[in-house]
Amino acid sequence: MAARVDAVFADYAGDDGPGCSVGVIRDGRLNHATGYGSANLEYGVPNGPATIYRIASVSKQFTAGAIALLALRGEVELDAPVQRYIPEFPDYPDPPTVRHLIHHTSGVRDYIVLFSLAGNRSEDFITDRDILDAITRQRELNFPPGSEYLYSNSGYVLLGEIVARVSGQSLREFARAEFFDPLGMPHTHFHDDHNEVVPNRATGYSPTDDGFRINMTTLDVVGDGAIYTSVEEWAAWDRNLTEGTVGGPEWVVLMHERGVLTSGDTIPYAFGLSRGEHRGLATVGHSGSWVGYRTGMSRYPDAGYSFVALCNRSRIDPMSLIATTAEIYLEDAMHPPEDIAEGEAEETADEDAPEAPPDHDIPNRARYAGSFYSPELDATYRIMEEDAAGLTLHVGRRDPVTLAVESDGLLAIEGGRIFRFSGRVDGRYEAMMVDAGRVKNLRFARTQEQGIRP
């Protein structure tokens, strides 16, 4: 078995590159654990079962677990509006509830996208206070609460803030006292100070043309991410998700309770956990991705197995790697892999064909050029005419990007960001609306830049 797992991770096993730590858990106990690649390329430190990683969004289940504890104790009402616990939260006509935040059905705009739209970079220093300020500036939701599922990191920052305000402890302190100390996880913590020394930490890296670059973060934000842990300590948390040593059986049931939309449809997302299926076996899992870290966990509760991969290299897919690892251990209990029909394979090949290049030759450029301000972002977008590049967008600290035309009044940039213009006066558009995945209908108005903060 170990040799077959080694083969799955062979591409990341060299000591000249970052890799992963991998754990196989059976009935709540670590059955197999090992490391591949380097935790630190500068000193040649290898990854291993005790290596500490930032696990990104896999952290969400700890925040949801804290809310679940408070709910079972009667200190938080899941169907209460968010504003009950965070009074400065916007007073929307149809208010999102705590439960909506948990299941990503609140419609609250994602702060990572908001800060990117405002011209910030992933390495820029951002605090919980900055994020709360950004969330309270919003005057619109992406959709009516409960009507849709759309992943939002903002929801989990708000949940972490609710834990702090209700308990009187920071989320880090609450999680340590309620989870990590009782479960015997001394090195696991919510990392709320990027300057803090973390013994045995893996550095995050991203590949370059000639090797790797360090890719870490100054983000001092908890709730949606920021847990540091190891494969060794993960086994205790995995065991609690079955046994409820902390929280009891009611907590275990609540953690696995899936969200329900106003349409009556049930979604896969539960309390920081997503329920699914893999070749006939029920799964419960989550992935994480932030700067140079990629992480994933997947539980097969009916089979009594769990798998976790914590990696310090971007451009790696830990969920795929642990799915393949699960097939090694559980192949006798799984349905046979589905064969892909010849016609389906051809269709997939067509879908992978390169797309037509974007059209940067934009007619009537002067209609779009100028400055547009969004009070919700507190940011100004400057659209400038360029002789060779058509129109370029300048915002904050980000490098200028070239706009492409979709149709008259509709521009786009790479990555799917859409700019919809309206209200022409004297031949120029006076209003702009931006859609960017987890942020919809963000409004801008043309402005004369005097008095407007960039």
Side-chain angles (χ1 to χ4, degrees):
M1 290 288 192
R4 293 175 67 185
V5 174
D6 288 345
V8 173
F9 288 86
D11 289 345
Y12 313 105
D15 58 10
D16 58 345
C20 304
S21 293
V22 182
V24 179
I25 300 166
R26 184 176 185 183
D27 296 328
R29 301 295 184 271
L30 202 55
N31 179 267
H32 173 72
T34 190
Y36 304 96
S38 290
N40 186 289
L41 296 177
E42 293 165 305
Y43 295 100
V45 179
N47 283 321
T51 303
I52 303 293
Y53 297 81
R54 188 183 184 101
I55 65 171
S57 287
V58 176
S59 308
K60 286 183 169 66
Q61 58 200 275
F62 296 94
T63 305
I67 289 287
L69 278 181
L70 292 172
L72 290 171
R73 294 171 183 171
E75 298 179 55
V76 168
E77 183 182 339
L78 296 180
D79 293 312
V82 174
Q83 202 176 45
R84 176 185 296 181
Y85 304 104
I86 305 177
E88 67 268 33
F89 185 75
D91 187 17
Y92 295 112
D94 187 2
T97 66
V98 176
R99 194 185 300 274
H100 289 139
L101 299 180
I102 292 167
H103 298 304
H104 298 293
T105 57
S106 68
V108 175
R109 291 165 168 166
D110 187 281
Y111 81 86
I112 294 177
V113 181
L114 286 172
F115 275 85
S116 175
L117 287 168
N120 295 286
R121 304 159 301 176
S122 61
E123 62 266 32
D124 289 333
F125 182 73
I126 299 171
T127 66
D128 280 316
R129 184 70 260 168
D130 296 326
I131 292 171
L132 286 173
D133 288 345
I135 292 173
T136 56
R137 280 200 304 269
Q138 305 308 301
R139 292 296 173 262
E140 187 174 331
L141 297 168
N142 284 328
F143 49 78
S147 65
E148 298 180 31
Y149 167 89
L150 184 62
Y151 196 90
S152 173
N153 289 286
S154 296
Y156 273 73
V157 173
L158 292 168
L159 290 171
E161 184 68 15
I162 291 171
V163 171
R165 297 193 185 192
V166 170
S167 71
Q169 300 172 282
S170 70
L171 181 59
R172 176 173 181 158
E173 293 167 338
F174 183 91
R176 183 183 67 242
E178 299 287 349
F179 291 131
F180 305 141
D181 286 350
L183 294 175
M185 303 170 68
H187 302 105
T188 301
H189 67 279
F190 274 104
H191 197 68
D192 54 7
D193 178 3
H194 68 278
N195 288 317
E196 179 182 350
V197 173
V198 180
N200 209 25
R201 169 168 50 179
T203 301
Y205 296 95
S206 290
T208 64
D209 292 338
D210 57 356
F212 296 92
R213 284 181 59 84
I214 293 172
N215 190 0
M216 300 287 281
T217 184
T218 60
L219 193 69
D220 287 345
V221 175
V222 295
D224 64 319
I227 284 281
Y228 273 85
T229 192
S230 67
V231 164
E232 280 187 347
E233 294 199 355
W234 185 264
W237 177 252
D238 179 85
R239 189 162 56 250
N240 197 60
L241 287 172
T242 299
E243 298 177 357
T245 302
V246 172
E250 298 87 359
W251 181 86
V252 173
V253 170
L254 187 56
M255 286 292 291
H256 293 82
E257 184 179 282
R258 296 160 60 184
V260 180
L261 301 179
T262 51
S263 65
D265 293 337
T266 301
I267 62 173
Y269 207 88
F271 276 57
L273 298 164
S274 189
R275 297 176 61 176
E277 182 268 347
H278 179 200
R279 286 179 53 182
L281 293 179
T283 60
V284 178
H286 210 290
S287 63
S289 171
W290 185 244
V291 290
Y293 298 98
R294 299 293 183 271
T295 57
M297 52 80 66
S298 188
R299 310 182 74 237
Y300 293 73
D302 295 338
Y305 271 89
S306 300
F307 305 88
V308 59
L310 311 179
C311 307
N312 62 327
R313 177 200 296 232
S314 64
R315 298 190 211 163
I316 191 172
D317 184 359
M319 293 302 284
S320 175
L321 293 170
I322 59 178
T324 304
T325 302
E327 291 173 354
I328 294 172
Y329 282 85
L330 301 174
E331 54 190 344
D332 291 342
M334 290 180 165
H335 293 166
E338 294 184 8
D339 293 329
I340 300 176
E342 183 176 348
E344 292 175 330
E346 292 175 356
E347 183 178 347
T348 301
D350 290 340
E351 290 175 355
D352 291 338
E355 297 181 1
D359 185 1
H360 299 304
D361 186 11
I362 301 173
N364 304 308
R365 296 178 192 172
R367 289 182 179 178
Y368 308 95
S371 295
F372 295 80
Y373 178 71
S374 166
E376 292 176 287
L377 285 185
D378 191 21
T380 298
Y381 278 25
R382 296 176 178 86
I383 299 175
M384 299 184 179
E385 294 189 66
E386 306 284 352
D387 291 338
L391 290 173
T392 56
L393 173 66
H394 301 250
V395 55
R397 300 175 180 178
R398 290 188 167 272
D399 293 333
V401 292
T402 303
L403 291 153
V405 63
E406 298 284 317
S407 61
D408 187 28
L410 191 67
L411 305 182
I413 61 173
E414 188 176 351
R417 196 170 299 176
I418 301 296
F419 300 77
R420 291 179 278 136
F421 294 82
S422 61
R424 276 211 309 265
V425 176
D426 296 330
R428 299 193 311 168
Y429 286 111
E430 294 297 308
M432 177 176 72
M433 189 174 289
V434 176
D435 289 329
R438 296 174 184 173
V439 171
K440 301 180 180 180
N441 301 329
L442 195 62
R443 301 173 189 275
F444 292 73
R446 184 180 289 278
T447 181
Q448 304 299 319
E449 293 182 20
Q450 293 83 356
I452 296 296
R453 287 181 289 170

